[in-house]
Amino acid sequence: MQLPTYEDVVAAAARLDGHAHRTPVLRSATADARWGAQFFFKCENFQRMGAFKFRGAFNALSRFDAAQRRAGAITFSSGNHAQAVALSAQLLGMPAVIVMPQDAPAAKLAATRGYGAEVVLYDRFTEDREALTQRLATERGMTLIPPYDHPDVIAGQGTAAKELLEETGPLDYLFVCLGGGGLTSGSALAARALAPQCKVYGVEPEAGNDGQQSLRTGSIVRIATPKTIADGAQTQYLGDYTFAIIRRDVHDIVTVSDAQLVECMRFFAERMKMVVEPTGCLAFAAACAAAPAIQGARVGVIVSGGNVDLARYAELLSGS
Ligand SMILES: *Cc1c(COP(=O)(O)O)cnc(C)c1O
């Protein structure tokens, strides 16, 4: 298994140049004062299609040869990777098929179809999405681009932390939202090259701490689909590539509760005027919880996405 390197992140950045947004790094005086550190928020909620996943998908699809482009891309995803592949395929002029859970947020289903992709639905609690996707891929000759466990996806996701560190200079800590580990492992590749002293933390929902268990036990732990409001981190296991990089380059994996995510969503809305989806709050929720131990530190926070059904968003913030 050939792990992607920082050079692959640099190559991905060149492919993304002019296609992905260079998202802003925002500060909040209120956050700094309340938690006693210097926070640098890399706002991927402002990325194209509303999440960092555009980076990995566009990088992967950009590398297709002529035959692959003709047949197109296929993937499975609970949401943002679906939109990322759909938009990337549209921009690159190729077909896309997306296998999505029946209960995916309405906004995500609509957006995926809106980018011109064909959507195939499955039952998240009873069907094996990977087997289904694999069968369709074979039948149609399409190239499967998984949501996280792929070198080109990991390298693409790493470009967000690369941009962040280039803008801020060395950081003491970097907190990253963790599902299957594409964003965390890519971020770790960038941090290792650009800020070797920086401690990278992956952050999972409490209910789905398979990554934390994997790191503790030294092999990939599989769990049932966790029940959490962080729908982008309802993954059941890390990938082979992402786990290998996380084991080598990530300091630790920590967890936060759904209640902490809601508090964090409220902070982003009230104080920073940003709509951030629950999964996108994982990193900052953990940074806040770690505040007593990181006083005065320079802390990077990757705000990973902002795609949330507005009715759902209002419901979460009103506490019902
Ligand atoms: C996919 C996703 C994550 C988790 O990313 P992984 O690469 O699977 O670890 C976090 N936040 C958002 C908004 C996502 O869409």
Side-chain angles (χ1 to χ4, degrees), residues 9 24 175 192 232 295:
V9 178
F175 288 88
R192 186 166 124 113
Q295 290 294 297

Side-chain angles (χ1 to χ4, degrees), residues 51-53 80 147-148 177-184 232 235 277 279-280 304-305:
F52 71 91
K53 287 222 173 60
N80 285 332
Y148 52 86
C177 310
L178 172 66
L183 183 62
T184 302
T235 40
E277 64 183 279
T279 315
S304 56

Side-chain angles (χ1 to χ4, degrees), residues 48 66 94 145 222 272 294:
R48 290 189 82 161
M94 61 175 95
I145 299 298
R222 293 177 175 242
M272 297 181 73
I294 62 174

Side-chain angles (χ1 to χ4, degrees), residues 256-269:
V256 297
S257 68
D258 281 4
Q260 285 172 285
L261 293 178
V262 171
E263 238 173 82
C264 199
M265 262 173 54
R266 182 171 289 117
F267 180 87
F268 282 135

Side-chain angles (χ1 to χ4, degrees), residues 194-237:
L194 298 174
Q197 307 305 319
C198 178
K199 291 190 168 108
V200 178
Y201 284 85
V203 186
E204 285 181 314
E206 221 166 64
N209 74 333
D210 59 286
Q212 189 182 55
Q213 292 182 47
S214 303
L215 201 57
R216 300 278 187 275
T217 61
S219 62
I220 297 171
V221 170
R222 293 177 175 242
I223 60 169
T225 301
K227 293 213 165 32
T228 167
I229 60 170
D231 57 85
Q234 280 181 314
T235 40
Q236 296 168 262
Y237 44 86

Side-chain angles (χ1 to χ4, degrees), residues 131-149:
L132 173 62
T133 308
Q134 194 59 64
R135 199 186 69 229
L136 288 170
T138 307
E139 279 170 15
R140 304 193 191 188
M142 299 180 109
T143 303
L144 170 56
I145 299 298
Y148 52 86
D149 205 28

Side-chain angles (χ1 to χ4, degrees), residues 7-30:
E7 283 61 49
D8 296 313
V9 178
V10 172
R15 285 181 204 109
L16 287 168
D17 191 27
H19 299 284
H21 295 318
R22 196 178 175 98
T23 54
V25 177
L26 298 185
R27 306 293 314 273
S28 162
T30 308

